[in-house]
Amino acid sequence: MATHPTTAAPGADRAPHGRRVIVAWLVLSIVATPLVAIFLGPILPPGNASVQGSGQVVDNTVLTATITPVFCLLLVFFVYVLTRFRAAPATALEDGPPLRNHNGIQVTWIVVTTVVVLSLAGFGTFELLQNGSGGGQGPSPVAVPAGADHMMQVQVIGQQWNWTYRYPGYGGIETQDLYLPENTYVVLNVTSLDVIHSFWAYALGVKADANPGVDNVAYLKTKGPRSFEIRCAELCGLWHGYMYQTGHIVPQSQFAAWIKQQQTLNASIARYMPKYSRSYYPDPQRRGG
Amino acid sequence: MRFGVKLLLIASAVVAGGVLIGFYVANLTTLQGSASYTIPVQQASGKPVVNLKIETVAAVGPQLSPNPDWVSYLIQNQKGAWIRRTVWKLPANATVHVTVYNFDGASGLRNPYLARPQGVDGNQVTIDGKPATGIDPNDASHTFAVPAYHLIVALPGVADNAKNQCGYAPCSLKLAHRTIQFTFHTGAPGHYRWQCFVPCAAGWIDGFGGPMQTIGYMDGFLDVS
Ligand SMILES: [Cu+2]
Ligand SMILES: [Cu+2]
């Protein structure tokens, strides 16, 4: 059935294409992978404000370094094929030799891709289960770091359109700003008073949905003093785009002074504050609804 | 097709696409936003001082809005008339003395913490002539808040059984109202949103829709320059 071109017998091209591609790929991968890991890795998201944030940087570095050889293979293959097998202008179109089954290539391909995907899945799961990796784990967290009972608690409250914070360990006072002491394990209890928001402290590696009536728990350990951005990552109405703040990680002494000042300021409202709770059900509005 | 013709066609298509995108962007940037109101500025020892007179009304009325039943903020212009403008042009680094006349009843704060005045001089306000560092969150009718300034002032509402309540705005000061006064300072130039934190939109689910989500009623900007 197949008509072979008459000009050349099939398989006449005996150049070692496969070996050339593999050698070029190996050389490129050996050079590129360490470069990617060493130079690109540290600037990958999300940043190093917390142990969890740094953990995510490491995870992203591992993922990027792992896919570098895959990317190199595709690159070498395409460049080689496009240059080596490019038809000269004005040659008659002719069919190449037929593709035949090659067990070795197929088995290698399936084994290699399976191993890569499963190891990355295993690595990701291991990383996630250590401490939740900064993600909101819902009201009954599974990945609980050691010593969670003694961690500093901060409740994050979303409302159209701002975040406020309650510190149950300091008399349940509420603040407009998020201050955290340095090198401290913190448990965030994220909730909302109205619609769904999402607390996203990018450099901390923390992202947790703020659902009304739900206590969404996320763990993080702060590193050295710095500021970080806080955004709402769930479209929540008119001022969603303005629902951002700057949070602060400060030295222990500065935190102590700040929280004391907040306690003094909150005195005038203390008797009206609801008892600290994992979530709140504001009274039905008299006029709304 | 000859190479030159092909190139010409592609070039024309790219140029046409670019022109269309240009028109689109130009249209976006020149779109009429919410109309702003420039607040007259005075000087006190070389520093800009602004007197801001605003009122909050339960129903804005047919004279001022196509949505007469919507709750709204209004601002008093130089002629003493109440106009529905919530984008205000203010000078940078100015002292702003605010007087709010609230003609609306209480509907309560969702977050009681916002009942404490913050971001204003002395962290206190004057309510009907008396200084206050907080109100009962259930008495709140609206808030005036500029989150970027950490400014929050909850406005107490008119008692439910008060006589002479205002129906439709503009409301005369002879009608039942509360007077709230405070002072804050504008900082660097910028575009700062202000909003109400009381879900006060009557007739919408949990009070969240309509005037709460529309600039010109319970939301606006401080255009500081
Ligand atoms: Cu939000
Ligand atoms: Cu309001």
Side-chain angles (χ1 to χ4, degrees):
Chain A
M1 274 241 320
T3 51
H4 292 298
T6 47
T7 44
D13 182 0
R14 298 222 172 267
H17 301 302
R19 206 177 309 147
R20 283 183 199 156
V21 167
I22 286 173
V23 169
W25 167 61
L26 277 175
V27 171
L28 188 63
S29 297
I30 288 165
V31 174
T33 307
L35 288 180
V36 163
I38 293 164
F39 294 106
L40 185 63
I43 56 166
L44 285 175
N48 291 296
S50 73
V51 169
Q52 285 66 20
S54 298
Q56 290 173 35
V57 173
V58 170
D59 300 347
N60 287 337
T61 306
V62 169
L63 290 175
T64 315
T66 309
I67 61 165
T68 302
V70 180
F71 177 74
C72 289
L73 178 61
L74 293 176
L75 193 72
V76 168
F77 181 78
F78 276 115
V79 169
Y80 187 83
V81 167
L82 287 175
T83 50
R84 180 62 184 76
F85 297 110
R86 189 177 181 81
T91 36
L93 276 182
E94 59 182 43
D95 204 356
L99 288 174
R100 292 189 196 287
N101 186 30
H102 190 296
N103 280 337
I105 288 178
Q106 283 175 345
V107 169
T108 310
W109 184 253
I110 289 168
V111 168
V112 169
T113 49
T114 306
V115 167
V116 168
V117 170
L118 287 183
S119 356
L120 286 180
F123 172 72
T125 310
F126 173 76
E127 289 284 281
L128 190 66
L129 286 177
Q130 290 199 79
N131 53 30
S133 204
Q137 302 190 48
S140 331
V142 178
V144 183
D149 295 346
H150 313 292
M151 286 176 192
M152 184 182 151
Q153 241 180 314
V154 180
Q155 184 173 49
V156 178
I157 304 171
Q159 185 184 5
Q160 281 181 334
W161 293 272
N162 210 7
W163 300 106
T164 52
Y165 308 91
R166 278 193 93 167
Y167 291 79
Y170 297 87
I173 58 150
E174 193 162 333
T175 63
Q176 286 198 62
D177 290 297
L178 178 59
Y179 275 74
L180 298 171
E182 64 179 343
N183 302 319
T184 304
Y185 233 125
V186 180
V187 49
L188 296 175
N189 299 81
V190 183
T191 190
S192 163
L193 296 179
D194 42 44
V195 300
I196 302 173
H197 303 273
S198 181
F199 178 76
W200 187 22
Y202 179 75
L204 294 180
V206 171
K207 197 181 208 183
D209 280 356
N211 291 285
V214 175
D215 172 32
N216 193 7
V217 180
Y219 301 98
L220 79 123
K221 188 178 186 202
T222 57
K223 294 173 89 171
R226 61 166 283 171
S227 298
F228 55 90
E229 259 182 38
I230 297 164
R231 292 185 175 277
C232 178
E234 183 74 50
L235 186 57
C236 60
L238 179 65
W239 297 122
H240 163 68
Y242 278 79
M243 208 168 154
Y244 63 77
Q245 294 179 354
T246 304
H248 307 276
I249 298 173
V250 294
Q252 300 280 352
S253 56
Q254 198 181 329
F255 178 80
W258 175 81
I259 199 87
K260 206 164 175 202
Q261 182 197 11
Q262 294 301 312
Q263 282 171 317
T264 311
L265 285 168
N266 267 276
S268 70
I269 198 70
R271 67 193 166 115
Y272 293 120
M273 290 297 285
K275 215 170 156 293
Y276 178 80
S277 159
R278 286 162 72 96
S279 65
Y280 304 92
Y281 296 92
D283 284 339
Q285 301 304 301
R286 281 184 238 164
R287 311 175 38 177
Chain B
M1 222 185 304
R2 281 223 314 272
F3 181 72
V5 179
K6 245 196 229 171
L7 199 68
L8 199 70
L9 278 177
I10 292 171
S12 337
V14 169
V15 169
V19 168
L20 284 176
I21 292 170
F23 272 130
Y24 180 71
V25 172
N27 185 41
L28 274 187
T29 51
T30 54
L31 265 185
Q32 179 80 54
S34 300
S36 64
Y37 176 69
T38 307
I39 299 168
V41 183
Q42 292 150 19
Q43 299 285 328
S45 47
K47 294 222 171 98
V49 175
V50 170
N51 288 305
L52 187 62
K53 280 206 160 70
I54 48 188
E55 68 176 31
T56 35
V57 295
V60 68
Q63 218 180 304
L64 293 168
S65 165
N67 306 295
D69 295 325
W70 283 19
V71 58
S72 188
Y73 269 89
L74 301 173
I75 184 166
Q76 193 172 42
N77 69 12
Q78 267 176 295
K79 292 177 193 148
W82 293 98
I83 56 171
R84 194 171 60 77
R85 290 271 189 283
T86 61
V87 180
W88 306 327
K89 282 200 162 57
L90 291 165
N93 304 309
T95 300
V96 184
H97 300 297
V98 186
T99 305
V100 191
Y101 303 108
N102 178 27
F103 293 86
D104 198 3
S107 44
L109 281 165
R110 263 189 121 68
N111 186 348
Y113 167 66
L114 306 184
R116 173 167 83 78
Q118 304 174 46
V120 294
D121 281 6
N123 285 316
Q124 70 168 35
V125 298
T126 310
I127 299 171
D128 300 328
K130 292 187 203 101
T133 53
I135 66 167
D136 183 333
N138 291 317
D139 292 343
S141 177
H142 303 278
T143 74
F144 178 75
V146 188
Y149 289 168
H150 287 67
L151 190 161
I152 297 169
V153 173
L155 313 173
V158 170
D160 286 345
N161 57 2
K163 288 182 190 135
N164 295 325
Q165 295 203 30
C166 178
Y168 280 134
C171 305
S172 150
L173 287 178
K174 286 177 193 141
L175 298 171
H177 67 275
R178 309 293 299 270
T179 306
I180 301 96
Q181 290 170 296
F182 54 92
T183 299
F184 74 94
H185 304 271
T186 60
H191 203 52
Y192 308 100
R193 55 109 183 205
W194 66 265
Q195 68 161 97
C196 172
F197 274 100
V198 177
C200 58
W204 303 81
I205 296 173
D206 289 339
F208 285 137
M212 277 299 285
Q213 307 273 349
T214 311
I215 291 169
Y217 296 89
M218 280 286 131
D219 308 273
F221 281 106
L222 306 184
D223 248 338
V224 179
S225 53

